[in-house]
Amino acid sequence: MADLAQPAPNLNVIAIDGPAGSGKSTIAQALAKRLELPYLDTGAMYRSVTFAVIATGADPEDAVTTASIAREMTLQMPENGDIIVNGLDATLEIRGPEVTRAVSAVAAHPDVRSELVSRQREWAHRRGGGVLEGRDIGSAVFPDALTKIYLTASAEVRAARRAGEVMDLDYDTVAADIARRDALDTSRQHDPLRRADGAIEVDTTYLDIDEVVSVISAHVDRAIAARAD
Ligand code: DC
């Protein structure tokens, strides 16, 4: 068994990082389909721990309790997009306002992160790679990824995209939540959101999905060719 405390080289890992609303999920899923690689939404894993924390009535700020909940959590993420946490269907709840409000606090705890990072590495090891999206994939989980992408978009466009996804919240509420989470995710001590060394920045503000996927695919093709040399 590989040492999951360490990232592994030679896997076909495509790391997609960026702030909320930058298009990560849509792009990563479309890219995975085009490259015929498996796809992992690591944000859904932090959301799942947060769901379990709320379900047990624990305090999201409590580093010790949240870490033990993370270690004990059973999580199933079948390809149809369902999220099963400790045997409960949490597919809708993990995207709801309660989890969204608390997830940055839970994701800031180092022992929660190390548990989920191990699971993410194990996931990729078992499959020989994959497209992983999150905040720290290129900087911490797989710094040796074949291709590292940092997606950005203007704050207005990111808020408009998220507001379009969640029916019950207006633009201003979504924009304020994104700004708050950006601030927490970029300023936390452990593996904050940042552009990883060697990551290619792609601004998606004025690009459609197909254009972004084509840009990234070209980078992946170049990386595969360079590795073969
Ligand atoms: O991508 P998302 O909005 O579903 O992510 C939810 C939260 O999880 C986000 O506010 C930051 C955190 N996260 C993280 O810290 N590291 C990751 N690799 C993925 C998400």
Side-chain angles (χ1 to χ4, degrees):
M1 187 67 189
D3 176 4
L4 296 176
Q6 300 300 323
N10 305 324
L11 294 177
N12 284 323
V13 168
I14 320 291
I16 312 275
D17 292 304
S22 58
K24 289 188 307 294
S25 295
T26 310
I27 299 302
Q29 285 178 65
L31 186 70
K33 204 164 167 196
R34 184 183 296 196
L35 301 176
E36 296 184 353
L37 285 172
Y39 157 74
L40 185 64
D41 173 0
T42 65
M45 298 173 77
Y46 288 92
R47 289 174 178 274
S48 295
V49 177
T50 307
F51 170 83
V53 166
I54 292 169
T56 53
D59 178 1
E61 304 283 346
D62 179 340
V64 174
T65 308
T66 53
S68 105
I69 290 171
R71 282 190 289 268
E72 282 161 24
M73 174 181 71
T74 63
L75 176 60
Q76 288 146 281
M77 303 174 79
E79 276 183 24
N80 68 0
D82 284 356
I83 305 286
I84 314 295
V85 182
N86 296 330
L88 292 175
D89 185 346
T91 313
L92 294 179
E93 281 88 342
I94 65 156
R95 309 280 167 203
E98 220 185 336
V99 168
T100 300
R101 251 193 314 274
V103 65
S104 288
V106 171
H109 301 310
D111 291 345
V112 170
R113 302 199 69 78
S114 62
E115 170 62 24
L116 295 190
V117 168
S118 294
R119 293 189 191 203
Q120 290 154 17
R121 288 181 183 150
E122 183 179 354
W123 179 92
H125 275 277
R126 285 184 193 282
R127 292 159 178 80
V131 179
L132 290 89
E133 58 128 321
R135 303 292 191 288
D136 62 341
I137 308 303
S139 59
V141 186
F142 285 107
D144 297 328
L146 179 67
T147 306
K148 301 195 250 185
I149 302 293
Y150 189 76
L151 288 184
T152 59
S154 71
E156 293 77 15
V157 164
R158 293 192 290 118
R161 286 178 184 160
R162 274 289 153 100
E165 287 164 13
V166 284
M167 296 303 147
D168 46 349
L169 296 175
D170 62 20
Y171 173 87
D172 289 341
T173 309
V174 173
D177 177 66
I178 284 187
R180 184 186 64 84
R181 281 205 294 142
D182 281 355
L184 287 169
D185 294 339
T186 51
S187 67
R188 71 169 173 241
Q189 201 183 344
H190 301 280
D191 297 330
L193 169 66
R194 65 178 177 85
R195 184 160 76 85
D197 293 341
I200 300 147
E201 186 161 332
V202 179
D203 185 337
T204 70
T205 307
Y206 301 110
L207 298 178
D208 68 25
I209 297 166
D210 284 347
E211 288 170 325
V212 179
V213 171
S214 292
V215 167
I216 300 175
S217 293
H219 284 294
V220 174
D221 289 346
R222 272 198 287 278
I224 290 172
R227 191 170 62 178
D229 281 346

